Amino acid sequence: MPSLPECGPWISPVVHIANICAGIGLVVSGILSLIGLFTSLGGVAKSPLGFLICLYVAFFGLMLVAGELNKPASILYHFSFLSGKVGRGIFELFVASLCLTQGFSGSGQVADIFIIIVGFLAFICAILTMCYGIDHDVGASEEGGLFRTGGGIFQRRGATSHPSTTI
Protein backbone atom coordinates (compact mmCIF):
# COMPACT_ATOMS: atom_id res chain seq x y z
CA MET A 1 0.00 0.00 0.00
CA PRO A 2 1.48 3.37 -0.93
CA SER A 3 2.34 5.63 1.94
CA LEU A 4 1.12 9.17 2.34
CA PRO A 5 3.48 11.97 1.37
CA GLU A 6 5.37 13.54 4.22
CA CYS A 7 4.08 17.02 4.99
CA GLY A 8 6.09 17.75 8.07
CA PRO A 9 5.14 18.00 11.73
CA TRP A 10 2.98 21.09 11.15
CA ILE A 11 0.12 19.26 9.39
CA SER A 12 -1.39 17.44 12.41
CA PRO A 13 -1.91 20.58 14.53
CA VAL A 14 -3.37 22.33 11.48
CA VAL A 15 -5.83 19.47 10.96
CA HIS A 16 -6.67 19.60 14.68
CA ILE A 17 -7.47 23.32 14.50
CA ALA A 18 -9.38 22.81 11.23
CA ASN A 19 -11.53 20.14 12.89
CA ILE A 20 -12.33 22.47 15.78
CA CYS A 21 -13.28 25.21 13.31
CA ALA A 22 -15.37 22.75 11.28
CA GLY A 23 -17.19 21.65 14.44
CA ILE A 24 -17.93 25.25 15.39
CA GLY A 25 -19.09 25.88 11.82
CA LEU A 26 -21.39 22.85 12.05
CA VAL A 27 -22.93 24.15 15.26
CA VAL A 28 -23.44 27.64 13.82
CA SER A 29 -24.84 26.36 10.52
CA GLY A 30 -27.21 23.98 12.31
CA ILE A 31 -28.51 26.81 14.49
CA LEU A 32 -28.81 29.20 11.53
CA SER A 33 -30.73 26.58 9.56
CA LEU A 34 -33.04 26.04 12.52
CA ILE A 35 -33.66 29.77 12.71
CA GLY A 36 -34.30 29.79 8.97
CA LEU A 37 -36.82 26.98 9.32
CA PHE A 38 -38.66 28.74 12.12
CA THR A 39 -38.76 32.10 10.40
CA SER A 40 -40.03 30.82 7.06
CA LEU A 41 -43.75 30.42 6.62
CA GLY A 42 -44.61 26.88 7.80
CA GLY A 43 -40.96 25.80 7.55
CA VAL A 44 -40.97 23.14 10.26
CA ALA A 45 -44.41 21.89 9.25
CA LYS A 46 -43.25 21.54 5.63
CA SER A 47 -39.93 19.92 6.51
CA PRO A 48 -39.89 17.97 9.77
CA LEU A 49 -36.95 15.93 8.48
CA GLY A 50 -35.02 19.14 7.79
CA PHE A 51 -35.69 20.17 11.38
CA LEU A 52 -34.18 16.91 12.66
CA ILE A 53 -31.19 17.17 10.34
CA CYS A 54 -30.47 20.69 11.63
CA LEU A 55 -30.60 19.43 15.21
CA TYR A 56 -28.30 16.53 14.34
CA VAL A 57 -25.80 18.80 12.57
CA ALA A 58 -25.61 21.16 15.57
CA PHE A 59 -25.33 18.29 18.09
CA PHE A 60 -22.74 16.38 16.05
CA GLY A 61 -20.73 19.60 15.66
CA LEU A 62 -20.65 19.89 19.45
CA MET A 63 -19.53 16.26 19.67
CA LEU A 64 -16.76 16.87 17.17
CA VAL A 65 -15.46 19.92 19.05
CA ALA A 66 -15.66 18.08 22.39
CA GLY A 67 -13.87 15.07 20.91
CA GLU A 68 -11.08 17.22 19.48
CA LEU A 69 -10.60 19.12 22.73
CA ASN A 70 -11.09 16.00 24.90
CA LYS A 71 -13.40 18.01 27.14
CA PRO A 72 -15.17 16.33 28.88
CA ALA A 73 -13.12 13.13 28.79
CA SER A 74 -16.31 11.08 28.96
CA ILE A 75 -17.02 12.00 25.31
CA LEU A 76 -14.07 9.92 24.13
CA TYR A 77 -14.87 7.25 26.68
CA HIS A 78 -18.43 6.67 25.48
CA PHE A 79 -17.87 7.56 21.82
CA SER A 80 -14.51 5.89 21.34
CA PHE A 81 -14.66 6.15 17.55
CA LEU A 82 -13.81 9.86 18.03
CA SER A 83 -10.44 8.92 19.55
CA GLY A 84 -9.05 7.48 16.30
CA LYS A 85 -8.40 9.44 13.16
CA VAL A 86 -10.28 7.04 10.88
CA GLY A 87 -13.38 6.89 13.08
CA ARG A 88 -13.39 10.66 13.51
CA GLY A 89 -12.93 11.11 9.76
CA ILE A 90 -15.80 8.78 8.90
CA PHE A 91 -17.99 10.55 11.46
CA GLU A 92 -17.09 13.87 9.83
CA LEU A 93 -17.95 12.48 6.39
CA PHE A 94 -21.35 11.46 7.75
CA VAL A 95 -21.99 14.91 9.21
CA ALA A 96 -20.79 16.57 5.99
CA SER A 97 -23.27 14.45 4.02
CA LEU A 98 -26.03 15.60 6.39
CA CYS A 99 -25.02 19.23 5.79
CA LEU A 100 -25.00 18.84 2.04
CA THR A 101 -28.34 17.02 2.07
CA GLN A 102 -29.93 19.76 4.14
CA GLY A 103 -28.36 22.56 2.12
CA PHE A 104 -29.31 21.26 -1.31
CA SER A 105 -32.84 20.33 -0.26
CA GLY A 106 -33.49 23.69 1.38
CA SER A 107 -35.19 26.75 0.00
CA GLY A 108 -32.07 28.66 -1.08
CA GLN A 109 -31.86 30.93 1.95
CA VAL A 110 -28.59 32.31 3.24
CA ALA A 111 -28.53 29.59 5.93
CA ASP A 112 -28.73 26.90 3.23
CA ILE A 113 -25.78 28.40 1.37
CA PHE A 114 -23.81 28.59 4.62
CA ILE A 115 -24.57 24.95 5.49
CA ILE A 116 -23.44 23.86 2.00
CA ILE A 117 -20.13 25.70 2.42
CA VAL A 118 -19.63 24.19 5.89
CA GLY A 119 -20.52 20.75 4.50
CA PHE A 120 -17.82 21.00 1.84
CA LEU A 121 -15.28 22.24 4.40
CA ALA A 122 -16.20 19.37 6.75
CA PHE A 123 -15.75 16.94 3.85
CA ILE A 124 -12.24 18.29 3.20
CA CYS A 125 -11.44 18.15 6.94
CA ALA A 126 -12.65 14.54 7.06
CA ILE A 127 -10.25 13.49 4.31
CA LEU A 128 -7.38 15.36 5.99
CA THR A 129 -8.28 13.82 9.36
CA MET A 130 -8.18 10.29 7.99
CA CYS A 131 -4.79 10.94 6.38
CA TYR A 132 -2.98 13.26 8.80
CA GLY A 133 -5.09 13.43 11.97
CA ILE A 134 -4.01 12.79 15.53
CA ASP A 135 -4.98 9.65 17.46
CA HIS A 136 -6.21 10.38 20.97
CA ASP A 137 -5.09 7.52 23.25
CA VAL A 138 -7.55 8.20 26.04
CA GLY A 139 -7.36 5.73 28.89
CA ALA A 140 -4.34 3.93 27.45
CA SER A 141 -2.46 1.73 29.83
CA GLU A 142 1.31 2.00 29.81
CA GLU A 143 1.72 -1.73 30.25
CA GLY A 144 0.77 -3.99 27.40
CA GLY A 145 -1.06 -1.41 25.29
CA LEU A 146 -4.55 -2.05 26.67
CA PHE A 147 -7.07 0.74 26.73
CA ARG A 148 -10.56 0.96 28.12
CA THR A 149 -13.47 2.47 26.23
CA GLY A 150 -17.21 2.60 26.72
CA GLY A 151 -17.49 -0.68 24.82
CA GLY A 152 -14.95 -2.64 26.85
CA ILE A 153 -11.21 -3.28 26.92
CA PHE A 154 -9.34 -3.41 23.63
CA GLN A 155 -5.75 -4.03 22.68
CA ARG A 156 -3.67 -1.64 20.62
CA ARG A 157 -1.97 -2.98 17.50
CA GLY A 158 1.49 -4.30 18.10
CA ALA A 159 1.05 -4.68 21.86
CA THR A 160 1.65 -7.95 23.63
CA SER A 161 -1.34 -9.49 25.33
CA HIS A 162 -1.52 -10.26 29.01
CA PRO A 163 -2.07 -13.95 29.82
CA SER A 164 -4.91 -13.09 32.23
CA THR A 165 -6.75 -10.83 29.79
CA THR A 166 -9.09 -12.25 27.21
CA ILE A 167 -10.20 -9.93 24.50
Side-chain angles (χ1 to χ4, degrees), residues 150-161:
I153 298 176
F154 297 95
Q155 184 172 1
R156 250 188 283 177
R157 285 189 201 146
T160 59
S161 69

Side-chain angles (χ1 to χ4, degrees), residues 43-164:
V44 177
K46 283 186 206 173
S47 179
L49 185 61
F51 173 73
L52 287 176
I53 289 176
C54 291
L55 285 177
Y56 285 145
V57 166
F59 178 71
F60 290 157
L62 282 174
M63 279 183 60
L64 186 63
V65 170
E68 280 293 326
L69 296 176
N70 193 18
K71 303 244 188 275
S74 62
I75 290 288
L76 292 181
Y77 180 78
H78 292 290
F79 302 102
S80 60
F81 61 90
L82 290 174
S83 64
K85 60 185 179 180
V86 174
R88 198 168 51 252
I90 291 173
F91 176 69
E92 241 180 313
L93 280 176
F94 170 69
V95 178
S97 69
L98 284 178
C99 284
L100 294 175
T101 301
Q102 177 62 24
F104 284 120
S105 66
S107 60
Q109 297 175 348
V110 174
D112 292 333
I113 295 169
F114 186 68
I115 201 168
I116 289 171
I117 292 170
V118 170
F120 278 121
L121 292 176
F123 181 79
I124 292 168
C125 283
I127 300 298
L128 289 174
T129 298
M130 286 190 277
C131 296
Y132 301 107
I134 301 170
D135 283 325
H136 302 290
D137 286 335
V138 175
S141 168
E142 294 299 323
E143 62 209 36
L146 296 176
F147 62 98
R148 179 175 297 279
T149 65
I153 298 176
F154 297 95
Q155 184 172 1
R156 250 188 283 177
R157 285 189 201 146
T160 59
S161 69
H162 294 296
S164 62

